Amino acid sequence: MHWLFTGHLRVDKITVKIAQLPASLQGTTLVQLSDFHYDGLRLSEDMLEEAIAVTNEAEPDLILLTGDYVTDDPMPIHQLVLRLKHLQSRCGIYAVLGNHDIYYSHSKAEVTQALTSIGVHVLWNEIAYPLGKELPLVGLADYWSREFYPAPIMNQLDSVIPRIVLSHNPDTAKILQQWRVDLQLSGHTHGGHIVIPGIGPLVLYYKKLLKQIPKKLRRWVTFFLGDCSKVVRYWEWAQGFHKVEENQLYVNRGLGTYKPGRLFCPPEVTVITLISH
């Protein structure tokens, strides 16, 4: 499916304002990669190579990976890390896992071990300090896991300290409103897959469209397109930058192509520059 409605890789560059950002971190460059779905079908080797190349060209201070490295079977992670080991950043590579990375009981351990073997720091309800104590990095367990419980982690941080949060599923932004989140990085949605230019992801209107289709045909539509309504609740956050009350959220469209494919929704590498508010 990597050739079906995938489109060319796009590098999206954004600037994010962080209140109380230390002067020493002004202009810090982050690169976010997400949703590889590396399984021999959903991501081409050429696009993966290009994504790694443009990431390194950005000369990032930190590379952040936001989950779904594989689809179901975790075995392809061992081939994927042979490619990802070529990523380069000044302060390392940090990652969280997605729902597909914990699909089987052994998946989490296998994916984590493989990423760790190439020096990627996998965070599962953990806080790290790759940029120093003045800008913590929080990595949460996947929202659909039994271990998503952010309170003990978030409550460790003083509210005067800015922080970046990695959470695969953007729906968690609703829950995280009770804490300070200067920048949440998520994926999971693949940008909504099919986007109507000037209007937004088709999935926003999916349920209304289904009601217009005869019941006998609906099951065929859901078979080919999937039941997108179950992927996330807040499809309005399917891609790009959003303000969620006082917090800030960015959702990467991902690299892999999942059914029903992509249309006007190109795979993405995100280059983020941090500046003071």
Side-chain angles (χ1 to χ4, degrees):
M1 284 181 63
H2 61 263
W3 51 268
L4 180 63
F5 296 127
T6 293
H8 296 291
L9 180 68
R10 197 168 85 186
V11 180
D12 285 6
K13 298 181 179 181
I14 65 167
T15 299
V16 177
K17 294 180 179 180
I18 304 286
Q20 291 95 42
L21 183 72
S24 60
L25 296 178
Q26 178 80 9
T28 294
T29 300
L30 315 175
V31 170
Q32 181 192 6
L33 301 171
S34 195
D35 295 84
F36 296 79
H37 287 279
Y38 187 82
D39 59 6
L41 179 66
R42 295 173 172 85
L43 175 62
S44 72
E45 294 292 343
D46 288 344
M47 182 166 291
L48 178 58
E49 184 178 344
E50 183 183 1
I52 292 170
V54 298
T55 295
N56 291 341
E57 286 170 10
E59 298 182 346
D61 295 296
L62 191 62
I63 296 173
L64 302 171
L65 311 178
T66 47
D68 279 1
Y69 309 97
V70 295
T71 301
D72 298 328
D73 181 4
M75 281 300 293
I77 190 65
H78 301 290
Q79 291 300 314
L80 177 60
V81 296
L82 297 179
R83 281 73 171 164
L84 296 184
K85 71 179 182 180
H86 298 293
L87 289 169
Q88 302 169 9
S89 72
R90 184 174 65 85
C91 297
I93 306 171
Y94 286 75
V96 290
L97 303 184
N99 54 297
H100 284 269
D101 304 316
I102 57 173
Y103 191 84
Y104 295 112
S105 60
H106 65 285
S107 295
K108 178 188 170 187
E110 189 162 356
V111 172
T112 299
Q113 185 279 325
L115 290 169
T116 302
S117 73
I118 60 165
V120 176
H121 303 271
V122 179
L123 303 179
W124 183 269
N125 288 333
E126 296 174 70
I127 303 172
Y129 298 90
L131 298 173
K133 292 290 184 179
E134 296 173 301
L135 187 62
L137 177 66
V138 180
L140 298 177
D142 183 66
Y143 185 40
W144 289 354
S145 77
R146 295 179 179 179
E147 297 176 46
F148 178 78
Y149 188 51
I153 311 303
M154 301 300 292
N155 288 338
Q156 292 179 39
L157 298 174
D158 192 311
S159 61
V160 303
I161 300 175
R163 74 289 306 264
I164 296 171
V165 175
L166 306 183
S167 183
H168 176 69
N169 190 322
D171 275 354
T172 59
K174 190 72 174 178
I175 297 167
L176 294 173
Q177 285 179 97
Q178 58 192 292
W179 296 281
R180 173 178 179 169
V181 178
D182 296 84
L183 178 60
Q184 175 178 335
L185 297 179
S186 299
H188 186 59
T189 61
H190 296 232
H193 301 280
I194 297 174
V195 176
I196 304 171
I199 297 178
L202 181 64
V203 68
L204 285 170
Y205 313 95
Y206 185 70
K207 289 185 177 179
K208 291 181 180 179
L209 289 172
L210 277 181
K211 291 179 181 179
Q212 306 303 316
I213 298 172
K215 289 185 178 180
K216 291 182 179 180
L217 296 178
R218 285 181 197 174
R219 65 187 185 95
W220 293 105
V221 174
T222 55
F223 174 77
F224 286 107
L225 298 184
D227 189 354
C228 299
S229 62
K230 295 181 179 179
V231 176
V232 290
R233 179 177 180 183
Y234 300 101
W235 275 110
E236 58 269 31
W237 301 335
Q239 60 175 280
F241 183 82
H242 304 273
K243 290 283 290 185
V244 184
E245 297 296 337
E246 298 300 316
N247 294 342
Q248 300 185 117
L249 166 69
Y250 189 84
V251 183
N252 180 293
R253 292 187 302 276
L255 292 172
T257 295
Y258 214 78
K259 71 175 184 179
R262 294 177 181 268
L263 186 62
F264 302 116
C265 186
E268 174 182 4
V269 171
T270 315
V271 180
I272 303 165
T273 302
L274 304 181
I275 62 172
S276 57
H277 194 276

